[in-house]
Amino acid sequence: MLACSRSLNSAVVSALRLLRSNQTAVTGQLERPLSTQTNGEVRIAKILKEKFPSASSLKVVDISGGCGAMYEIHIESSEFKGKRTVQQHQLVNQALKDEIQNMHGLRIFTDVPQH
Protein backbone atom coordinates (compact mmCIF):
# COMPACT_ATOMS: atom_id res chain seq x y z
CA MET A 1 0.00 0.00 0.00
CA LEU A 2 2.94 2.36 0.65
CA ALA A 3 4.07 2.22 -2.97
CA CYS A 4 0.51 2.86 -4.03
CA SER A 5 0.23 5.89 -1.73
CA ARG A 6 3.38 7.44 -3.21
CA SER A 7 1.95 7.40 -6.68
CA LEU A 8 -1.54 8.42 -5.58
CA ASN A 9 -1.15 12.12 -6.38
CA SER A 10 0.21 11.51 -9.86
CA ALA A 11 -2.45 8.85 -10.44
CA VAL A 12 -5.19 11.29 -9.44
CA VAL A 13 -3.84 13.93 -11.81
CA SER A 14 -3.57 11.35 -14.60
CA ALA A 15 -7.10 10.10 -13.96
CA LEU A 16 -8.53 13.62 -14.06
CA ARG A 17 -6.75 14.31 -17.35
CA LEU A 18 -8.05 11.01 -18.64
CA LEU A 19 -11.65 11.82 -17.71
CA ARG A 20 -11.37 15.16 -19.46
CA SER A 21 -9.81 13.77 -22.62
CA ASN A 22 -11.64 10.40 -22.72
CA GLN A 23 -8.52 8.67 -24.03
CA THR A 24 -6.56 5.56 -23.05
CA ALA A 25 -5.47 5.36 -19.41
CA VAL A 26 -1.76 5.03 -18.72
CA THR A 27 -0.95 3.99 -15.16
CA GLY A 28 2.72 3.30 -14.53
CA GLN A 29 3.74 0.64 -17.04
CA LEU A 30 0.18 -0.53 -17.61
CA GLU A 31 -1.86 0.94 -20.43
CA ARG A 32 -5.57 0.14 -20.33
CA PRO A 33 -8.37 1.43 -22.50
CA LEU A 34 -11.37 2.94 -20.77
CA SER A 35 -13.50 0.01 -21.88
CA THR A 36 -11.64 -2.38 -19.56
CA GLN A 37 -12.36 -2.24 -15.87
CA THR A 38 -10.33 -3.34 -12.88
CA ASN A 39 -11.76 -6.00 -10.56
CA GLY A 40 -12.47 -3.28 -7.99
CA GLU A 41 -14.36 -1.15 -10.51
CA VAL A 42 -16.48 -4.15 -11.52
CA ARG A 43 -17.15 -5.11 -7.88
CA ILE A 44 -18.17 -1.57 -6.87
CA ALA A 45 -20.35 -1.12 -9.96
CA LYS A 46 -22.13 -4.41 -9.21
CA ILE A 47 -22.89 -3.33 -5.64
CA LEU A 48 -24.20 0.05 -6.79
CA LYS A 49 -26.34 -1.49 -9.54
CA GLU A 50 -27.94 -3.76 -6.95
CA LYS A 51 -28.49 -0.92 -4.47
CA PHE A 52 -29.69 1.58 -7.09
CA PRO A 53 -31.55 -0.49 -9.71
CA SER A 54 -33.10 2.60 -11.28
CA ALA A 55 -29.71 4.24 -11.92
CA SER A 56 -29.74 5.68 -15.43
CA SER A 57 -26.00 6.29 -15.43
CA LEU A 58 -23.13 4.74 -13.46
CA LYS A 59 -19.38 5.15 -13.86
CA VAL A 60 -16.75 3.79 -11.48
CA VAL A 61 -13.08 4.68 -12.05
CA ASP A 62 -10.06 3.51 -10.05
CA ILE A 63 -8.06 6.75 -9.79
CA SER A 64 -5.28 5.22 -7.71
CA GLY A 65 -3.36 3.82 -10.65
CA GLY A 66 -5.08 0.45 -10.51
CA CYS A 67 -4.27 -0.57 -6.94
CA GLY A 68 -7.81 0.02 -5.64
CA ALA A 69 -6.96 2.63 -3.02
CA MET A 70 -9.11 5.43 -4.45
CA TYR A 71 -12.18 5.53 -6.66
CA GLU A 72 -14.32 8.11 -8.37
CA ILE A 73 -18.03 7.33 -8.75
CA HIS A 74 -20.55 9.12 -10.94
CA ILE A 75 -24.12 7.91 -10.45
CA GLU A 76 -27.43 9.28 -11.67
CA SER A 77 -30.56 7.78 -10.15
CA SER A 78 -34.18 8.76 -9.61
CA GLU A 79 -33.76 7.35 -6.09
CA PHE A 80 -31.92 10.57 -5.25
CA LYS A 81 -34.93 12.74 -6.12
CA GLY A 82 -35.92 15.04 -3.26
CA LYS A 83 -32.70 14.34 -1.32
CA ARG A 84 -29.96 16.86 -0.64
CA THR A 85 -26.51 16.11 -2.03
CA VAL A 86 -25.20 15.06 1.39
CA GLN A 87 -28.07 12.57 1.73
CA GLN A 88 -27.37 11.20 -1.76
CA HIS A 89 -23.72 10.70 -0.85
CA GLN A 90 -24.68 9.04 2.43
CA LEU A 91 -26.75 6.49 0.47
CA VAL A 92 -23.76 5.68 -1.74
CA ASN A 93 -21.44 5.47 1.28
CA GLN A 94 -23.88 3.15 3.05
CA ALA A 95 -24.09 0.89 -0.01
CA LEU A 96 -20.28 0.68 -0.11
CA LYS A 97 -19.60 0.57 3.65
CA ASP A 98 -17.68 -2.73 3.47
CA GLU A 99 -15.66 -1.66 0.42
CA ILE A 100 -14.81 1.76 1.85
CA GLN A 101 -12.93 0.20 4.77
CA ASN A 102 -10.17 -0.85 2.34
CA MET A 103 -9.97 2.46 0.47
CA HIS A 104 -7.78 5.48 0.88
CA GLY A 105 -10.37 7.80 -0.63
CA LEU A 106 -13.62 8.03 -2.55
CA ARG A 107 -14.97 10.80 -4.76
CA ILE A 108 -18.73 10.70 -5.25
CA PHE A 109 -20.77 12.63 -7.81
CA THR A 110 -24.53 12.10 -7.71
CA ASP A 111 -27.36 13.47 -9.79
CA VAL A 112 -31.06 13.04 -10.53
CA PRO A 113 -32.07 12.24 -14.14
CA GLN A 114 -33.61 15.21 -15.95
CA HIS A 115 -36.85 13.78 -17.35
Side-chain angles (χ1 to χ4, degrees):
M1 186 70 173
L2 182 60
C4 183
S5 295
R6 288 185 195 143
S7 66
L8 189 57
N9 285 339
S10 63
V12 170
V13 170
S14 296
L16 291 173
R17 287 183 187 140
L18 167 69
L19 288 172
R20 288 186 192 124
S21 66
N22 200 20
Q23 295 175 354
T24 302
V26 178
T27 53
Q29 299 294 330
L30 175 66
E31 187 174 305
R32 77 178 171 105
L34 285 177
S35 60
T36 46
Q37 293 184 301
T38 65
N39 290 337
E41 290 168 341
V42 171
R43 186 176 60 252
I44 291 169
K46 181 178 184 242
I47 292 167
L48 292 173
K49 285 176 187 175
E50 290 171 1
K51 178 66 178 176
F52 303 101
S54 67
S56 57
S57 176
L58 174 63
K59 182 176 182 179
V60 179
V61 180
D62 182 339
I63 58 173
S64 64
C67 70
M70 189 167 189
Y71 290 90
E72 182 168 294
I73 295 170
H74 295 261
I75 183 168
E76 185 176 284
S77 177
S78 58
E79 292 159 275
F80 298 140
K81 188 174 184 176
K83 293 179 174 50
R84 294 174 294 143
T85 302
V86 69
Q87 293 170 316
Q88 297 171 13
H89 290 203
Q90 286 170 341
L91 290 172
V92 174
N93 279 318
Q94 181 62 31
L96 298 174
K97 65 181 177 186
D98 294 334
E99 300 295 320
I100 288 174
Q101 294 175 13
N102 300 318
M103 291 181 198
H104 173 74
L106 179 63
R107 296 184 65 202
I108 301 171
F109 299 90
T110 56
D111 206 355
V112 177
Q114 304 299 316
H115 291 357

